[in-house]
Amino acid sequence: FVLCLLMYVITLLGNSILISVSVLDSHLHTPMYFFLSNLSCLDIWYTSSALTPMLANFISGRNTISFSGCAAQMYFSLAMGSTECVFLSVMAYDRYVAICNPLRYPIIMNKKICVRIAAGSWVTGSFTALVETVSVLQLSLCGSGVINHFTCEILAVLKLACVDTSKVQLIMLVITVLLLPMPMLLICISYAFILSSVLRISSLDGRSKAFPTCAAHLSVVVLFYGTALSMYLKPSTMDSQEIDKFIALAYAGLTPMLNPIIYSLRNREVKVAVKKFLSNINVSYISLSDLK
């Protein structure tokens, strides 16, 4: 309980601060931080859908969930995870345009385009999650009704089906390929062009400005896609429910917790904005104290 609560609180605080500084600091009103704010929203929703019921179960001692509650938890977890897959590839494209086509960057990634891309990412993740959730919950479930997992994770629920699941597994495989290897391929292509452009920069200062945000994004990509691929595209011979639970905990709690920390440590602009944001809170607190 203490471990999960700590992860949840750090996730809420870190991502909330990142969203706040991106909105309040005018220097961060750029496409990259707009997408980063969306990513932080995703992390908060995803962690809340997975860890909040588990924390409640720890306190109450009850390990039951209603069918509708299970469906909602499954849908939101899938929707947030799927949308994050799309957003990470979009952020890689944003870095590609910013570094490889800096003069055209304000035109290509204008406000209207960014809003449309963000909306398209949310719709894509929500729609694919709806298809997967409906296809699984239409199956006849039998047995003890006990899910061998700490959430209504789709693969764990699928094991309760007492009918042929080959059609559902095919649907999940197609969606997984579209949302994991395909975006990863786009990210790799984007960073191949980025690396080529950075290596052509003659000044050391120019390279030092390009590397931090790219390094932060790549760290998040490796962390997120590494756990996702090990969960949904591992060989059947490596199928282990205990390993799945551990990966799911890292996927739902550890990754969203580390994302804002990675971006803050790797990015000078974010660190300056966070310091300014925290100092403003402190000044406001002191002022209110003086009035009292």
Side-chain angles (χ1 to χ4, degrees), residues 261-275:
I261 298 173
I262 292 171
Y263 277 108
S264 299
L265 291 176
R266 293 276 189 173
N267 197 305
R268 185 165 49 191
E269 290 177 327
V270 174
K271 284 192 283 188
V272 171
V274 169
K275 287 179 182 178

